[in-house]
């Protein structure tokens, strides 16, 4: 199977699976507990049907949107995700370059493998810095200040990860950060020599957002241990309000799922929220962002920008979210599998396909611009 044989999300996933050792693939592919929520993130979009309008004279389609003051050419962006140079040796460099080519926003994680400063210097595309609330409050302030000095305009605080989810695939494979070869996983790497060669012959793996602040002293942490030992489970609304005031700019909370929390985010001055369950990797059995989207947009959509991520695999998923009032949708696995499969070329092929799907579907819906979409375009249906 080659890159040119990839025509949808599942094709990229299959190609990534062929190229990645199992521990790395399972880290991307897996969720928490029984992975019910992870699967529901996509199937939730089946709960409503699109109602198209015809004879609207649609020729050119304008997909541009403004999200938290950032002008984007597309109504979807590349969500911040961790450890990208484990999946492909260019990691976030490939992600940022692909985002810039398509004129959309990308995010850099606290667990990113390329520094936010480097990416901000090289790319004019809007960049989001996603960070976690660490027990070390000085570290939190330092990370925000580094982002400010780098010229980053949007801060994104993840609020659904004060402790790690039960990711049993990672437990079985012994996945750790920084990545360590274990005796139990040696066979998987032996049968995928291409990945190992790339990993060993390119720049040494690092976590530049954290390396200056956390000395692991050669130790390796499981993802669960990072969340449990490094992050502060006592984080509360007062802590976040202080950070919002300190940043004094575009500030977004990622992981909001209830109307009450959405209202609280607006009350403390947040300019955006992302409805997210962390890709089904935290609380299994929780609602999906799409489940909650309509209620939250109705409650606070006039006060801040509502975004959504989780389970986006098709252009029709994007249109359904936009019809309910999402300002844009975030992509995670949708671009990570192409990254793992073929680096920047893979991401660009995936983004090009999704853009083509959205343009075609907009024409079929009789919509010339995103603002033409609305709740009247949807009907809820029974799902067997």
């Amino acid at each position: 199977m080659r890159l040119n044989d990839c025509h949808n999300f599942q094709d990229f996933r299959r190609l990534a699976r062929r190229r990645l050792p199992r521990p790395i693939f399972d880290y991307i592919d897996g969720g928490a507990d029984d992975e019910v929520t992870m699967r529901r993130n996509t199937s939730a979009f089946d709960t409503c049907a699109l109602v198209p309008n015809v004879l609207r004279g649609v020729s050119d389609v304008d997909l541009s949107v403004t999200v938290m003051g950032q002008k984007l050419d597309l109504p979807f962006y590349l969500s911040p995700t961790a450890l990208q140079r484990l999946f492909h040796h260019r990691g976030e460099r490939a992600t940022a370059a692909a985002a810039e080519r398509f004129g959309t926003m990308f995010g850099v994680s606290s667990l990113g493998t390329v520094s936010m400063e480097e990416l901000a210097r090289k790319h004019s595309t809007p960049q989001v810095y996603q960070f976690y609330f660490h027990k070390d409050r000085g570290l939190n302030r330092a990370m925000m200040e580094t982002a400010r000095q780098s010229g980053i305009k949007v801060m994104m605080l993840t609020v659904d990860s004060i402790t790690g989810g039960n990711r049993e695939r990672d437990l079985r494979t012994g996945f750790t950060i920084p990545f360590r070869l274990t005796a139990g996983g040696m066979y998987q790497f032996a049968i995928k020599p291409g990945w190992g060669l790339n990993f060993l012959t390119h720049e040494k793996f690092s976590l530049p957002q954290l390396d200056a602040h956390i000395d692991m002293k050669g130790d390796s942490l499981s993802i669960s241990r990072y969340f449990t030992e490094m992050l502060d489970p006592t984080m509360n609304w007062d802590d976040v309000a202080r950070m919002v005031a300190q940043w004094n700019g575009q500030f977004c909370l990622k992981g909001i799922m209830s109307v009450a929390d959405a209202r609280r985010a607006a009350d403390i001055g947040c300019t955006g929220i992302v409805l997210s369950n962390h890709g089904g990797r935290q609380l299994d059995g929780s609602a999906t962002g799409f489940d909650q989207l309509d209620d939250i947009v109705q409650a606070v959509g006039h006060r801040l920008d509502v975004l959504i991520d989780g389970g986006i695999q098709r252009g029709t998923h994007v249109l359904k979210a936009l019809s309910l009032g999402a300002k844009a949708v975030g992509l995670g696995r949708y671009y990570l599998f192409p990254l793992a499969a073929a680096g920047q070329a893979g991401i660009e092929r995936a983004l090009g396909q999704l853009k083509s799907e959205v343009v075609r579907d907009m024409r079929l819906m009789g919509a010339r611009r995103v603002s033409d979409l609305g709740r009247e375009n949807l009907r809820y249906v029974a799902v067997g």
Side-chain angles (χ1 to χ4, degrees):
M1 187 177 187
R2 301 168 303 169
L3 181 60
N4 288 343
D5 298 319
C6 294
H7 302 286
N8 59 37
F9 172 83
Q10 294 299 336
D11 289 340
F12 287 110
R13 179 178 178 274
R14 281 189 286 271
L15 185 55
R17 188 169 195 165
R18 291 181 59 178
R19 297 189 173 180
L20 290 176
R22 180 179 171 184
I24 307 296
F25 176 82
D26 278 352
Y27 172 73
I28 303 174
D29 195 55
D33 292 343
D34 298 313
E35 302 184 346
V36 173
T37 293
M38 184 181 74
R39 293 189 295 272
R40 270 277 300 150
N41 277 343
T42 296
S43 65
F45 290 98
D46 296 336
T47 60
C48 65
L50 292 165
V51 180
N53 293 305
V54 298
L55 302 177
R56 298 302 174 95
V58 179
S59 54
D60 294 335
V61 174
D62 180 7
L63 297 182
S64 63
V65 293
T66 299
V67 178
M68 291 180 289
Q70 315 307 303
K71 294 182 178 180
L72 312 181
D73 292 341
L74 299 173
F76 48 86
Y77 64 96
L78 306 187
S79 295
T81 58
L83 312 181
Q84 291 186 25
R85 282 203 294 116
L86 275 185
F87 317 144
H88 185 276
H89 64 270
R90 292 201 63 225
E92 290 89 349
R93 296 183 180 103
T95 298
E100 184 170 48
R101 179 176 175 186
F102 281 84
T104 195
M105 187 166 67
F106 71 97
V108 175
S109 169
S110 291
L111 292 172
T113 55
V114 177
S115 74
M116 65 176 115
E117 301 98 317
E118 175 189 331
L119 297 174
R121 285 195 307 269
K122 290 183 177 179
H123 302 284
S124 59
T125 308
Q127 179 181 164
V128 170
Y129 177 52
Q130 173 270 332
F131 70 111
Y132 296 104
F133 192 78
H134 295 84
K135 292 177 181 177
D136 182 346
R137 305 302 174 92
L139 170 57
N140 296 327
R141 290 191 294 270
M143 295 170 83
M144 290 179 64
E145 185 56 33
T146 300
R148 188 191 306 279
Q149 293 176 3
S150 299
I152 292 171
K153 305 299 184 185
V154 181
M155 293 297 294
M156 181 180 284
L157 174 66
T158 294
V159 293
D160 64 354
S161 302
I162 59 172
T163 190
N166 180 37
R167 304 175 193 177
E168 293 176 358
R169 294 206 215 182
D170 294 345
L171 296 175
R172 292 189 181 97
T173 62
F175 186 87
T176 60
I177 53 170
F179 183 73
R180 297 285 187 268
L181 286 175
T182 63
M186 288 293 287
Y187 173 73
Q188 288 295 325
F189 293 91
I191 62 176
K192 302 292 175 67
W195 178 92
L197 183 63
N198 276 330
F199 183 74
L200 294 173
T201 58
H202 287 90
E203 176 186 359
K204 183 181 178 182
F205 182 85
S206 66
L207 299 171
Q209 272 67 252
L210 295 179
D211 284 346
H213 308 284
I214 297 176
D215 183 7
M216 292 186 177
K217 298 179 180 178
D219 190 17
S220 60
L221 291 174
S222 69
I223 294 295
S224 177
R225 277 186 60 206
Y226 169 78
F227 285 117
T228 302
E229 297 180 14
M230 300 292 187
L231 304 190
D232 190 348
T234 69
M235 176 176 61
N236 58 44
W237 284 103
D238 291 338
D239 293 320
V240 177
R242 283 190 287 270
M243 285 188 288
V244 172
Q246 177 189 347
W247 181 251
N248 193 29
Q250 299 289 340
F251 200 105
C252 179
L253 300 186
K254 182 178 182 292
I256 295 295
M257 290 295 287
S258 74
V259 170
D261 284 348
R263 288 195 173 114
R264 192 71 179 268
D267 289 343
I268 65 171
C270 292
T271 55
I273 55 175
V274 183
L275 311 190
S276 174
N277 53 40
H278 217 93
R281 297 159 73 82
Q282 287 295 97
L283 178 64
D284 199 27
S286 66
T288 75
F290 191 71
D291 291 332
Q292 301 298 97
L293 179 59
D294 192 21
D295 287 347
I296 289 177
V297 168
Q298 295 304 310
V300 299
H302 60 293
R303 301 177 64 190
L304 45 67
D305 288 348
V306 180
L307 292 77
I308 179 176
D309 68 25
I312 304 292
Q313 296 182 12
R314 284 291 186 185
T316 51
H317 297 161
V318 176
L319 261 62
K320 289 178 181 181
L322 298 175
S323 294
L324 285 182
K327 289 296 180 72
V329 304
L331 308 177
R333 293 181 181 91
Y334 189 91
Y335 78 88
L336 290 181
F337 287 133
L339 169 66
Q344 182 178 339
I347 301 175
E348 290 181 357
R349 181 173 175 86
L351 293 181
Q353 289 176 351
L354 187 59
K355 178 181 179 180
S356 295
E357 285 188 23
V358 173
V359 169
R360 179 177 61 247
D361 295 341
M362 289 276 284
R363 289 196 175 109
L364 293 172
M365 288 292 294
R368 287 172 289 184
R369 59 188 67 85
V370 172
S371 59
D372 291 339
L373 299 170
R375 296 172 73 206
E376 66 276 7
N377 296 131
L378 297 180
R379 291 292 182 274
Y380 285 90
V381 297
V383 178

